[in-house]
Amino acid sequence: MGLHTESGVNELNRREFIRLALAASAALAATGNAYAEAEVAPASLAHAALFPLPPGAVEPQGWLRGWMQKQAAELGSQIPNVSWPFSAAYWSGEENVDGVPPGTTDAWWPWEQKAYWLDGATRLSIVLKDEQLMALVRQSLDYTLSHAGDDGYLGPENFRDPKGDFHRWPQNVLFRGMAALADARQLPGPPESADVADALRRHFLGDPADYGSPTRNVTNIEGMIWCYGKTGDPRLLALAEDAWKKYQATVADDSGHGDLGAMRVFAATPIDAHGCTYAETMKLPAILYLATGKPEYLEFAMAAERRIFDHHMLVDGIPSTTEYYRTVTSLDSHETCDISDHTWSWGYMLMATGDAVWADRVERACFNAAPGAIKNDWKALQYFSCPNQFLATLNSDHNVMSHGGRMMAYQPNPGQRTACCGANVHRMLPNYAIRMWMKTGDNGLAAVLYGPSRVEAALGAEKQPVTIVQSTHFPFEEEIRLRIETDKPVRFPLLLRAPAWCAAPKVTINGAEFKVSRNAEGFLRIDRSFKPGDQVSLTLPMQARVTNWPQEGVAVEHGPLVYTLPIEANWTSKIEPKFTTADFPSWEATPASPWNYGLDLDQARPENSVEFHRKPLAEDATLDPWVDPPTSVTVPARLIAGWELQPNPADPSQKFTPPLPDVSARKPAGSTTRITLVPYGATELRLTIFPALRS
């Protein structure tokens, strides 16, 4: 069986988790190596189980395209006109930060933050084939590439001699955008891949910086290995392995540098580290495994990931990270950056292991946490986002970090000077689209993430061009329809992910039932000759689940979606110069409808209390199902007397989202009624972790 877990449940112990993952990887190693020998798989992917397609090979369609087009039209393209630091010339000539001495810790922040946006906007422009957005991001990417130093150094001059905690992290963020641009398919005028790779090769090999420390310097392994795959220069692989070795020997044990010392990783302790730093660093052994095949790298990566799922996962699919990893109560939240960073890391785990569990995790996060952190008009987002948030104002942050601050309000740049989330948010959807399909080692294709899309790939023994059009309203419906377009019959393996939440997936080909079983990696494998116009249908029956959370809290799920009580909001806007505009203001939301409900479920079979409802979803590509969700559930609930917003004793006008009431204080008021819950991503204010009422 595949390696799968449900929220709130640890089904496998740590050793079994690692054993199964390594077994899955070993089972696919032969086909992975065959791919490397038979086609053009770079050395950086020599030991992959699944292989990414070039950015642009997958085109989002339907509601997914409409959602991403809204992103591109709003903050995706407009953030440089709205807020510093995106409005400044970082990566295109700017050398200093106002009031911050060059070479100090704070001096690198604006370059990191703008690089996040450049990477996300580059990928967004590629998948949408948006030439106007591409021209905008190319200004910075081309400037940096064309202003290399004589020694090959890429970046601002004041980064050359880093001191203290200053590091090369911003370059790695920018280089990801350059790599996507160089790899892009069907886009006018991208630079030659070899040119970008050679520029990065010269940068890394000529750079005297210590890539083993300090904070996040080691993350440049990602760029080194990409460059190694393109150039084959063994010095890059040696540099990457040496950086990881030095990191482990010097700073890995320090919580400020990731808490990734081997002793704590393999002891499966809770994580004492900054969420984004951990997410960006824990993927590096998986990347090194992809290039080297050394099992100790994959074993380390698996153990590092396991700590997240043992101790820190929230119901919406992202770990509790504000900004350090925290507990999983109803008030625990996550930084929006962590949605992009964790899902990006899980994609590498999918490539390394071939196990569908990693795609399940990306799906859960991208269909719940991601839209749940964004205002539905794509003009604002949260820095910290929570399953339970009954208000979101400029002084209602209920988390330990920034308590009473502005981080939970909806803003175009919610961190203002700490602007990472306003930029990093733009990586989530393009990366989902780019990784929806992957190649297999035997010239086949794997559907790893679902949604309306179109993919082109060279398949079968003769590398025949094939297009597959995926028509679906998933995750709002159960059926996924695939149409095969090709000039002549072609035989290739087609792998369809069977999510862990689906007990009985069904496949038909041209209307006839096709018997196929879920394999050890969680895929349905169809190996046959496909004719032009063949129709493959995958049905993923969805069931209701009620999951348990601390303090006798419960949550409701159906298929891949988490359902939540939407709280009507009173919205108030505020313009803050330098960081907002009249069209993109900061927004505060306070509750305008009752929220203090407990769920009155059937205690023996709580899922029997959940009624699912679906209405038709129009074909209009501009429709946003997060604005008008086509699915909902109803559940029995009762108001709880005395459960109110939590005031600040020193200032009663300042209010916070309260914790769940103590079990002894859950005194229902009135009779049981049925309330309607909608998909998590369709809400801004919400109640997701409900108090369970006990008779």
Side-chain angles (χ1 to χ4, degrees):
M1 61 179 286
L3 174 61
H4 307 291
T5 60
E6 267 191 24
S7 62
V9 179
N10 293 318
E11 295 180 344
L12 299 171
N13 62 36
R14 179 177 59 88
R15 289 183 180 178
E16 186 69 359
F17 178 89
I18 296 170
R19 184 190 68 78
L20 287 177
L22 292 173
S25 177
L28 289 168
T31 56
N33 289 335
Y35 178 90
E37 293 167 4
E39 204 172 336
V40 290
S44 56
L45 295 170
H47 299 273
L50 292 171
F51 301 84
L53 293 172
V58 180
E59 281 187 55
Q61 297 187 333
W63 74 262
L64 183 58
R65 183 175 187 84
W67 192 27
M68 296 177 72
Q69 285 176 325
K70 181 187 289 189
Q71 174 188 358
E74 301 299 346
L75 280 177
S77 62
Q78 295 304 309
I79 192 68
N81 301 321
V82 173
S83 178
W84 182 92
F86 313 105
S87 55
Y90 301 107
W91 299 111
S92 55
E94 181 61 63
E95 287 288 334
N96 297 294
V97 184
D98 292 343
V100 179
T104 59
T105 300
D106 290 352
W108 55 265
W109 280 17
W111 282 269
E112 173 214 39
Q113 293 154 11
K114 189 162 184 179
Y116 273 139
W117 171 72
L118 288 167
D119 178 31
T122 297
R123 294 167 186 271
L124 186 61
S125 67
I126 291 169
V127 298
L128 294 179
K129 295 181 171 54
D130 186 330
E131 295 183 29
Q132 186 173 359
L133 181 57
M134 175 55 70
L136 183 62
V137 297
R138 285 287 297 272
Q139 294 174 15
S140 297
L141 299 183
D142 289 350
Y143 179 92
T144 302
L145 285 168
S146 63
H147 285 75
D150 292 340
D151 57 356
Y153 171 79
L154 296 170
E157 284 297 314
N158 67 17
F159 280 30
R160 275 188 176 274
D161 185 22
K163 296 180 175 64
D165 194 36
F166 198 85
H167 47 78
R168 291 280 189 261
W169 163 242
Q171 271 102 332
N172 183 60
V173 179
L174 186 76
F175 293 167
R176 289 194 291 217
M178 289 182 177
L181 183 64
D183 285 339
R185 177 185 290 184
Q186 297 177 345
L187 194 78
E192 291 295 329
S193 176
D195 294 342
V196 175
D198 188 61
L200 297 191
R201 182 185 64 82
R202 293 186 66 235
H203 168 86
F204 285 127
L205 296 181
D207 188 3
D210 179 1
Y211 281 101
S213 65
T215 307
R216 296 199 201 176
N217 247 22
V218 72
T219 60
N220 280 274
I221 287 174
E222 184 174 16
M224 293 172 190
I225 296 297
W226 178 86
C227 191
Y228 165 65
K230 293 296 182 181
T231 66
D233 191 326
R235 293 175 296 175
L236 291 161
L237 178 59
L239 184 63
E241 290 200 88
D242 185 60
W244 181 254
K245 182 178 179 180
K246 286 182 178 178
Y247 170 77
Q248 282 292 307
T250 55
V251 296
D253 289 312
D254 181 358
S255 63
H257 295 80
D259 188 25
L260 278 161
M263 185 173 294
R264 283 179 58 81
V265 166
F266 287 105
T269 65
I271 303 167
D272 180 20
H274 180 254
C276 292
T277 300
Y278 191 90
E280 291 284 10
T281 309
M282 71 179 175
K283 71 179 187 295
L284 302 176
I287 293 173
L288 288 168
Y289 169 80
L290 288 167
T292 68
K294 295 179 181 178
E296 60 267 28
Y297 285 136
L298 185 56
E299 183 177 355
F300 189 100
M302 293 297 300
E305 293 277 6
R306 182 66 189 191
R307 297 169 76 192
I308 294 174
F309 302 103
D310 276 353
H311 303 293
H312 303 290
M313 282 303 296
L314 297 178
V315 68
D316 64 358
I318 288 295
S320 170
T321 43
T322 54
E323 288 190 1
Y324 273 49
Y325 286 92
R326 312 285 182 182
T327 55
V328 293
T329 72
S330 65
L331 293 184
D332 281 298
S333 313
H334 51 69
E335 184 183 351
T336 294
C337 278
D338 279 285
I339 307 172
S340 291
D341 294 344
H342 283 82
T343 54
W344 182 245
S345 292
W346 296 338
Y348 282 113
M349 297 302 297
L350 174 62
M351 295 176 213
T353 67
D355 196 320
V357 67
W358 300 105
D360 288 358
R361 287 165 175 164
V362 172
E363 172 185 86
R364 187 179 184 93
C366 287
F367 286 159
N368 294 286
I374 305 163
K375 198 168 184 292
N376 282 335
D377 60 7
W378 258 109
K379 288 190 172 186
L381 64 141
Q382 295 177 286
Y383 194 100
F384 291 148
S385 182
C386 187
N388 279 14
Q389 47 189 44
F390 308 157
L391 72 169
T393 69
L394 292 168
N395 68 350
S396 70
D397 188 341
H398 60 247
N399 296 285
V400 173
M401 181 174 176
S402 301
H403 185 74
R406 61 185 300 121
M407 297 298 205
M408 296 192 74
Y410 285 88
Q411 305 161 77
N413 175 3
Q416 294 198 342
R417 185 172 168 278
T418 310
C420 50
C421 291
N424 208 351
V425 69
H426 295 292
R427 298 174 61 234
M428 296 185 301
L429 301 189
N431 285 337
Y432 182 93
I434 288 168
R435 287 174 166 175
M436 290 177 75
W437 292 86
M438 292 188 179
K439 290 287 292 290
T440 66
D442 48 2
N443 300 312
L445 200 60
V448 299
L449 297 168
Y450 294 119
S453 62
R454 180 180 184 273
V455 62
E456 296 180 355
L459 303 176
E462 297 180 359
K463 312 297 187 298
Q464 184 171 322
V466 176
T467 296
I468 300 179
V469 177
Q470 183 179 163
S471 301
T472 183
H473 296 318
F474 186 87
F476 307 102
E477 70 166 332
E478 297 177 340
E479 187 179 9
I480 296 159
R481 297 163 292 279
L482 306 176
R483 185 177 74 251
I484 312 297
E485 298 178 352
T486 180
D487 290 340
K488 59 182 180 179
V490 54
R491 185 180 186 92
F492 65 89
L494 176 63
L495 276 64
L496 308 176
R497 178 174 60 93
W501 49 259
C502 180
K506 301 175 184 178
V507 174
T508 65
I509 299 179
N510 298 325
E513 183 178 359
F514 184 85
K515 293 289 188 181
V516 61
S517 299
R518 182 190 269 123
N519 66 18
E521 293 77 42
F523 286 93
L524 309 175
R525 181 183 174 93
I526 303 169
D527 195 341
R528 71 191 299 270
S529 179
F530 291 94
K531 302 185 302 297
D534 274 352
Q535 303 275 347
V536 179
S537 174
L538 170 66
T539 301
L540 300 173
M542 300 179 185
Q543 301 295 325
R545 303 185 303 281
V546 175
T547 54
N548 296 314
W549 297 87
Q551 301 168 312
E552 295 208 30
V554 291
V556 177
E557 306 173 28
H558 188 270
L561 297 180
V562 177
Y563 283 78
T564 186
L565 176 70
I567 302 172
E568 295 178 17
N570 290 319
W571 292 96
T572 303
S573 63
K574 183 176 182 180
I575 299 174
E576 300 173 284
K578 189 177 180 179
F579 300 106
T580 64
T581 65
D583 288 337
F584 292 85
S586 294
W587 287 99
E588 297 187 293
T590 55
S593 63
W595 51 263
N596 53 321
Y597 287 98
L599 293 193
D600 193 7
L601 303 172
D602 178 344
Q603 294 184 29
R605 296 291 302 274
E607 65 276 7
N608 290 346
S609 301
V610 181
E611 295 180 1
F612 179 74
H613 308 274
R614 179 182 285 118
K615 64 182 182 181
L617 182 62
E619 297 293 340
D620 184 356
T622 64
L623 181 71
D624 186 341
W626 305 113
V627 173
D628 182 19
T631 60
S632 62
V633 300
T634 59
V635 289
R638 299 177 71 181
L639 290 169
I640 297 178
W643 191 26
E644 300 174 344
L645 295 179
Q646 188 176 63
N648 177 358
D651 180 8
S653 66
Q654 185 181 24
K655 301 291 179 65
F656 301 95
T657 298
L660 299 185
D662 291 337
V663 175
S664 61
R666 296 178 187 180
K667 302 187 183 302
S671 58
T672 298
T673 186
R674 293 195 74 85
I675 59 174
T676 298
L677 313 184
V678 300
Y680 186 99
T683 63
E684 285 130 346
L685 300 184
R686 55 182 166 260
L687 167 61
T688 310
I689 306 298
F690 289 81
L693 298 179
R694 308 295 181 188
S695 57

